[in-house]
Amino acid sequence: MRVRSLALLPFSLLWSLVKLLFWPGLGVFVAWLVLPVGWMPVVFAGAAGYVVAVLAVWKVMVRGKFASLARGTVTVRPTRKRGDER
C-alpha cells in the first residue's frame, strides 16, 4: 500500500489542485457569460486572489507531504516506567 500511494502521489497532488481550482474557474466562466464586460476586472481580481491563496496553502500541504515522507517509518513501542523490571 505504501509503494502504491507513493507512486500515485504526484497524481493525487495534482488532482487536489484541480479540485480546488474548479469552482473559481467555473465562476469566472459563468460571470463571463452573464455579467457585462465592465464587471470582468472585479471578477478576475477576486478569482486571482482566490488562486493565490489556494496556491499558497497547497504549497504548504505539499511540503508537509514530502516532509512526512522524509521522516520514514515510525515505530511505536510501549513505554517503560522507572523501576519497571521486565
Side-chain angles (χ1 to χ4, degrees):
M1 181 66 180
R2 176 94 169 146
V3 173
R4 182 175 27 178
S5 64
L6 185 60
L8 295 176
L9 182 63
F11 301 108
S12 172
L13 294 174
L14 182 64
W15 180 244
S16 69
L17 188 61
V18 167
K19 288 190 299 185
L20 286 171
L21 295 178
F22 173 76
W23 291 110
L26 184 65
V28 168
F29 179 71
V30 169
W32 179 66
L33 293 176
V34 176
L35 295 176
V37 176
W39 279 93
M40 289 315 291
V42 175
V43 171
F44 283 136
Y50 178 82
V51 167
V52 167
V54 162
L55 289 178
V57 170
W58 186 77
K59 186 171 109 175
V60 169
M61 184 209 51
V62 169
R63 281 186 182 170
K65 287 270 190 188
F66 286 129
S68 70
L69 288 175
R71 282 193 295 267
T73 306
V74 176
T75 305
V76 178
R77 296 186 184 125
T79 58
R80 292 179 51 183
K81 297 178 183 176
R82 286 187 188 180
D84 189 14
E85 301 290 330
R86 289 186 188 190

